[in-house]
Coordinates of all heavy atoms in Angstrom, one line a residue:
L444 N 77.3 26.8 268.6 CA 76.4 26.6 267.4 C 77.2 26.7 266.1 O 77.1 25.8 265.2 CB 75.3 27.6 267.4 CG 74.1 27.4 266.5 CD1 73.4 26.0 266.9 CD2 73.1 28.5 266.6
Y445 N 78.1 27.7 266.0 CA 78.8 27.9 264.8 C 80.3 27.7 264.9 O 81.1 27.7 264.0 CB 78.6 29.4 264.3 CG 77.2 29.7 263.9 CD1 76.4 30.4 264.8 CD2 76.6 29.1 262.8 CE1 75.0 30.7 264.5 CE2 75.2 29.4 262.5 CZ 74.5 30.2 263.3 OH 73.2 30.5 263.0
G446 N 80.8 27.6 266.2 CA 82.2 27.4 266.4 C 83.0 28.6 266.1 O 84.2 28.6 265.9
K447 N 82.3 29.8 266.2 CA 83.0 31.1 265.9 C 82.9 32.0 267.1 O 82.0 31.8 267.9 CB 82.4 31.8 264.7 CG 82.5 31.0 263.4 CD 82.1 31.8 262.2 CE 80.6 32.1 262.1 NZ 80.2 32.8 260.9
T448 N 83.8 32.9 267.2 CA 83.7 33.9 268.3 C 82.5 34.9 267.9 O 82.1 34.9 266.8 CB 85.0 34.8 268.4 OG1 85.1 35.6 267.3 CG2 86.2 33.9 268.5
A449 N 82.1 35.6 268.9 CA 81.0 36.5 268.7 C 81.4 37.6 267.7 O 80.5 38.0 266.9 CB 80.6 37.2 270.0
K450 N 82.6 38.0 267.7 CA 83.1 39.1 266.8 C 83.1 38.5 265.3 O 83.0 39.3 264.4 CB 84.5 39.6 267.2 CG 84.5 40.4 268.5 CD 85.9 40.8 268.8 CE 85.9 41.6 270.1 NZ 87.3 41.9 270.6
E451 N 83.3 37.2 265.2 CA 83.3 36.6 263.8 C 81.9 36.3 263.3 O 81.7 36.1 262.1 CB 84.1 35.3 263.9 CG 85.6 35.5 264.2 CD 86.3 34.2 264.4 OE1 85.6 33.2 264.9 OE2 87.5 34.1 264.2
C452 N 80.9 36.4 264.2 CA 79.5 36.1 263.7 C 78.8 37.3 263.2 O 79.1 38.5 263.6 CB 78.7 35.6 264.9 SG 79.2 33.9 265.5
T453 N 77.9 37.1 262.3 CA 77.0 38.2 261.9 C 76.0 38.5 263.1 O 75.9 37.8 264.1 CB 76.2 37.9 260.7 OG1 75.3 36.8 261.0 CG2 77.1 37.4 259.5
R454 N 75.3 39.6 263.0 CA 74.3 39.9 264.0 C 73.3 38.8 264.2 O 72.9 38.4 265.3 CB 73.6 41.2 263.7 CG 74.5 42.4 263.6 CD 73.8 43.7 263.3 NE 73.0 44.2 264.4 CZ 73.6 45.0 265.4 NH1 74.8 45.3 265.3 NH2 72.8 45.4 266.4
E455 N 72.8 38.2 263.1 CA 71.8 37.1 263.2 C 72.5 35.9 263.9 O 71.8 35.2 264.7 CB 71.3 36.8 261.8 CG 70.4 37.8 261.2 CD 71.2 39.0 260.5 OE1 72.4 38.9 260.6 OE2 70.5 39.9 260.0
E456 N 73.7 35.6 263.5 CA 74.4 34.5 264.1 C 74.7 34.7 265.6 O 74.6 33.8 266.4 CB 75.7 34.2 263.4 CG 75.5 33.7 262.0 CD 76.8 33.6 261.2 OE1 77.8 34.3 261.6 OE2 76.9 32.8 260.2
V457 N 75.0 35.9 266.0 CA 75.1 36.2 267.4 C 73.8 35.9 268.2 O 73.8 35.3 269.2 CB 75.5 37.7 267.6 CG1 75.4 38.1 269.1 CG2 77.0 37.9 267.2
A458 N 72.7 36.4 267.6 CA 71.4 36.2 268.3 C 71.1 34.7 268.4 O 70.7 34.2 269.4 CB 70.3 36.9 267.5
R459 N 71.3 33.9 267.3 CA 71.1 32.5 267.4 C 72.0 31.8 268.3 O 71.6 30.9 269.0 CB 71.2 31.9 265.9 CG 70.1 32.4 265.0 CD 70.2 31.6 263.7 NE 69.2 32.1 262.7 CZ 69.5 32.9 261.7 NH1 70.7 33.3 261.5 NH2 68.6 33.3 260.9
E460 N 73.3 32.2 268.3 CA 74.2 31.6 269.2 C 73.9 31.8 270.7 O 74.0 30.9 271.5 CB 75.6 32.1 268.9 CG 76.8 31.6 269.8 CD 77.1 30.1 269.5 OE1 77.4 29.7 268.4 OE2 77.0 29.3 270.5
V461 N 73.6 33.1 271.0 CA 73.2 33.4 272.4 C 72.0 32.6 272.8 O 71.9 32.1 273.9 CB 73.0 34.9 272.6 CG1 72.4 35.2 274.0 CG2 74.3 35.7 272.4
W462 N 71.0 32.6 271.9 CA 69.8 31.8 272.2 C 70.1 30.3 272.5 O 69.6 29.7 273.4 CB 68.8 32.0 271.1 CG 67.4 31.4 271.3 CD1 66.9 30.3 270.7 CD2 66.4 31.9 272.2 NE1 65.6 30.1 271.2 CE2 65.3 31.0 272.1 CE3 66.3 32.9 273.1 CZ2 64.1 31.2 272.8 CZ3 65.2 33.1 273.9 CH2 64.1 32.2 273.7
A463 N 71.0 29.8 271.7 CA 71.4 28.4 271.9 C 72.1 28.2 273.2 O 71.9 27.2 273.9 CB 72.3 27.9 270.7
Q464 N 73.0 29.1 273.6 CA 73.7 29.0 274.8 C 72.8 29.1 276.0 O 72.9 28.5 277.1 CB 74.8 30.0 274.9 CG 76.0 29.7 273.9 CD 77.2 30.6 274.1 OE1 77.4 31.1 275.2 NE2 77.9 30.9 273.0
L465 N 71.8 30.0 275.9 CA 70.8 30.1 277.0 C 70.0 28.8 277.1 O 69.8 28.3 278.3 CB 69.8 31.3 276.6 CG 70.3 32.7 276.8 CD1 69.3 33.7 276.2 CD2 70.6 33.1 278.2
K466 N 69.6 28.2 276.0 CA 68.8 27.0 276.1 C 69.7 25.8 276.6 O 69.2 25.0 277.4 CB 68.3 26.6 274.7 CG 67.2 27.5 274.2 CD 66.5 27.0 273.0 CE 67.4 26.9 271.8 NZ 66.7 26.4 270.6
A467 N 71.0 25.8 276.3 CA 71.9 24.8 276.8 C 72.0 24.9 278.3 O 72.2 23.9 279.0 CB 73.3 24.9 276.1
S468 N 72.0 26.1 278.8 CA 72.1 26.3 280.3 C 70.8 26.1 281.0 O 70.8 25.7 282.2 CB 72.6 27.7 280.6 OG 73.9 27.9 280.1
L469 N 69.7 26.3 280.4 CA 68.4 26.3 281.1 C 67.5 25.1 280.8 O 66.6 24.8 281.5 CB 67.6 27.6 280.8 CG 68.3 28.9 281.2 CD1 67.7 30.1 280.6 CD2 68.2 29.0 282.8
N470 N 67.7 24.5 279.6 CA 66.9 23.4 279.2 C 67.6 22.0 279.4 O 67.2 21.0 278.7 CB 66.5 23.5 277.8 CG 65.6 24.7 277.5 OD1 65.1 25.3 278.5 ND2 65.3 25.1 276.3
D471 N 68.6 21.9 280.3 CA 69.4 20.7 280.3 C 69.0 19.7 281.4 O 69.7 18.7 281.6 CB 70.9 21.1 280.5 CG 71.1 21.9 281.8 OD1 70.3 22.7 282.1 OD2 72.1 21.6 282.4
T472 N 68.0 20.0 282.1 CA 67.6 19.1 283.2 C 66.2 18.5 283.0 O 65.5 18.2 284.0 CB 67.7 19.8 284.6 OG1 66.8 21.0 284.5 CG2 69.1 20.2 284.9
G473 N 65.8 18.3 281.8 CA 64.5 17.7 281.5 C 63.3 18.6 281.4 O 62.2 18.2 281.0
K474 N 63.5 19.9 281.7 CA 62.4 20.9 281.5 C 62.8 21.9 280.4 O 63.9 22.3 280.3 CB 62.2 21.6 282.8 CG 61.7 20.8 283.9 CD 61.4 21.7 285.2 CE 60.9 20.8 286.3 NZ 60.7 21.7 287.5
T475 N 61.8 22.2 279.6 CA 62.0 23.2 278.5 C 61.6 24.5 279.0 O 60.4 24.8 278.9 CB 61.3 22.8 277.2 OG1 61.7 21.5 276.8 CG2 61.5 23.8 276.1
L476 N 62.5 25.3 279.5 CA 62.2 26.6 280.0 C 62.1 27.7 278.9 O 61.3 28.6 279.0 CB 63.2 27.0 281.1 CG 63.3 26.1 282.3 CD1 64.3 26.6 283.3 CD2 61.9 25.8 282.9

Side-chain angles (χ1 to χ4, degrees):
L444 197 60
Y445 298 105
K447 297 191 291 186
T448 71
K450 292 177 183 176
E451 293 171 334
C452 291
T453 65
R454 299 180 74 85
E455 291 82 359
E456 288 172 340
V457 166
R459 294 190 183 101
E460 178 70 57
V461 172
W462 187 250
Q464 292 186 31
L465 289 169
K466 291 192 294 183
S468 293
L469 296 165
N470 294 349
D471 62 318
T472 56
K474 295 181 179 179
T475 302
L476 303 182

